[in-house]
Amino acid sequence: MPCKVVVGGFWGDEGKGKIISYLALRDKVDIGVRGGVGPNAGHTVQFEGKTYKLRMIPSIFINEKARLLIGAGVLVNPKIFLEEINQTGCKNRICLDPNCVIIEDKHIQKDKSSSHLSKQIGTTGTGTGPCNVDRVKRIAKTAKDIPELKDFLVDVAFEVNKAVDEGKDVLVEGTQGTFLSLYHGTYPFCTSKDVTASSICADVGLGPKKIDEVLVVFKAYITRVGGGPLPGELSQEEAEKLGWVEVATVTGRKRRVAPFNVDLAKRAVMLNSASQIAITKLDVLFPSCKGIKKYAELPDEAKNFIKNIENSIGVPITLIGTGPGVYDIIDLEKSGRISPVIKR
Ligand code: IMP
Ligand code: MG
């Protein structure tokens, strides 16, 4: 599929990194381009025995042929960007847009020292909110002001649009999750900009008619870090009993936990105009699913869980994660069924 955008359906940490890295290896992806807020994101990619925790570099980097880009809408912390280039060895194929705005130490200090941001909202403390404030005030530095970034600058919108027009395979990578959106999320308990598919595309300079597929990623249960409502929230003891406790990639905080919520998922599908759904961590919900790669081999309770989501929402589930590794996945898109809702 020439142009696909991948977004999170709940409050982030749905497993986008894992899904994107699988697509990176399955598809002939020419360009992986990152939209979203900035280094408040943490995408975990496990590949060939290594675990990468990425905050700036597109998760698609494990496809060594893919060109890697960061769209103008994204906030860049140059230190993290350069460190991750070293960690992933992708120096010769990554670029960013000259209009990306730069996170400075003062933004991080403001994020951490404001009790409204750090305590009430519970931000990641990475400076993204205060940096977006300066961006709106039109006083922020951009990537073209930073000598260390000089060799990485490219007109990302032009490159991405040209690739789509030439029929190349472009994967647009979103960050955070739908209900962290500044517009459609649980305001004021949200991030500092919209993060639904439309904005992720705007971040990289792609208009709505250029997009062929919108893949929304849900985890088989819900987690959230920071303040704000979480329908059906479980106590930490209940979560521990179920084995659903997670620790946040960027902040090291314990994530709050709730069971999967079909109504929220339906709303996320609407807000993103999703054409496909991926469900991750099915093996955490049903441990006997671990490592399964064929739908037919799933236990009935897991199949019922999947079918119930599809039937309620009416959008096909195309990928099902069954473990942390890139290839721990059931790929229903590859198996080529046309109407999964009817067929299963
Ligand atoms: P900020 O984006 O750092 O300003 O944080 C605002 C809210 O969004 C807080 O509740 C954070 O925990 C949450 N948040 C931001 N980025 C992520 C993410 O990538 N995963 C999960 N939560 C996030
Ligand atoms: Mg994360």
Side-chain angles (χ1 to χ4, degrees):
M1 195 47 77
C3 190
K4 179 180 264 169
V5 51
V6 180
V7 293
F10 290 139
W11 278 274
D13 307 311
E14 299 90 355
K16 293 179 290 295
K18 183 242 163 75
I19 293 295
I20 292 166
S21 41
Y22 172 73
L23 294 174
L25 298 177
R26 186 195 72 176
D27 298 341
K28 184 193 67 57
V29 177
D30 297 293
I31 294 182
V33 56
R34 169 96 147 58
V37 184
N40 48 350
H43 291 176
T44 305
V45 175
Q46 287 191 12
F47 181 57
E48 291 182 339
K50 278 196 190 154
T51 301
Y52 302 88
K53 296 199 180 279
L54 302 174
R55 296 167 58 188
M56 295 259 47
I57 304 280
S59 303
I60 207 114
F61 83 93
I62 60 171
N63 178 331
E64 288 174 5
K65 290 192 182 138
R67 169 94 163 127
L68 308 174
L69 299 171
I70 298 179
V74 179
L75 306 174
V76 171
N77 180 324
K79 197 167 154 249
I80 297 173
F81 174 74
L82 296 168
E83 265 168 22
E84 287 185 2
I85 287 178
N86 283 339
Q87 192 196 341
T88 56
C90 64
K91 188 168 188 236
N92 298 324
R93 57 192 177 104
I94 187 156
C95 280
L96 46 76
D97 196 276
N99 282 343
C100 288
V101 156
I102 300 301
I103 298 177
E104 298 177 68
D105 287 343
K106 63 179 180 187
H107 299 128
I108 297 171
Q109 274 154 23
K110 270 188 195 159
D111 205 355
K112 288 184 174 162
S113 64
S114 150
S115 78
H116 171 67
L117 291 176
S118 68
K119 300 220 165 65
Q120 273 92 293
I121 307 298
T123 68
T124 59
T126 52
T128 49
C131 184
N132 266 332
V133 169
D134 280 358
R135 183 172 213 170
V136 173
K137 283 185 181 164
R138 281 144 288 181
I139 57 171
K141 283 187 183 156
T142 60
K144 56 185 176 296
D145 302 320
I146 309 296
E148 295 80 27
L149 298 179
K150 193 168 60 63
D151 294 342
F152 297 102
L153 302 183
V154 88
D155 182 343
V156 168
F158 179 78
E159 198 175 310
V160 167
N161 277 277
K162 184 163 171 284
V164 174
D165 292 345
E166 288 170 352
K168 291 191 173 153
D169 200 302
V170 174
L171 191 139
V172 187
E173 198 172 317
T175 61
Q176 285 75 41
T178 299
F179 299 108
L180 284 173
S181 160
L182 184 65
Y183 298 166
H184 304 289
T186 47
Y187 188 91
F189 301 100
C190 57
T191 191
S192 52
K193 67 186 238 194
D194 180 38
V195 287
T196 61
S198 313
S199 288
I200 299 298
C201 295
D203 286 339
V204 308
L206 281 172
K209 287 167 70 181
K210 291 273 167 82
I211 308 301
D212 300 291
E213 292 278 357
V214 177
L215 174 66
V216 65
V217 183
F218 297 115
K219 192 154 57 184
Y221 50 96
I222 305 178
T223 57
R224 127 163 250 186
V225 277
L230 176 57
E233 181 165 7
L234 304 175
S235 67
Q236 277 296 320
E237 295 84 74
E238 287 173 297
E240 257 157 47
K241 247 186 251 160
L242 291 164
W244 296 359
V245 174
E246 298 179 6
V247 172
T249 313
V250 175
T251 56
R253 295 180 286 188
K254 265 196 186 161
R255 292 178 181 151
R256 299 160 59 199
V257 178
F260 193 92
N261 184 315
V262 172
D263 293 331
L264 278 176
K266 219 177 196 170
R267 185 162 178 85
V269 163
M270 176 189 82
L271 290 167
N272 292 291
S273 66
S275 57
Q276 298 185 2
I277 294 171
I279 302 281
T280 61
K281 297 209 178 185
L282 192 67
D283 58 303
V284 177
L285 211 58
F286 307 109
S288 63
C289 296
K290 194 159 181 97
I292 288 183
K293 295 183 173 62
K294 288 191 181 128
Y295 183 81
E297 291 171 10
L298 288 178
D300 283 346
E301 53 178 358
K303 278 186 189 153
N304 290 338
F305 176 80
I306 296 290
K307 273 192 260 180
N308 177 43
I309 297 172
E310 265 188 345
N311 291 336
S312 313
I313 298 177
V315 168
I317 293 173
T318 52
L319 296 169
I320 302 169
T322 54
V326 172
Y327 289 114
D328 293 330
I329 208 157
I330 298 170
D331 186 340
L332 294 162
E333 195 178 24
K334 202 165 89 182
S335 62
R337 85 256 186 285
I338 299 160
S339 175
V341 179
I342 295 162
K343 228 171 136 181
R344 273 184 254 140

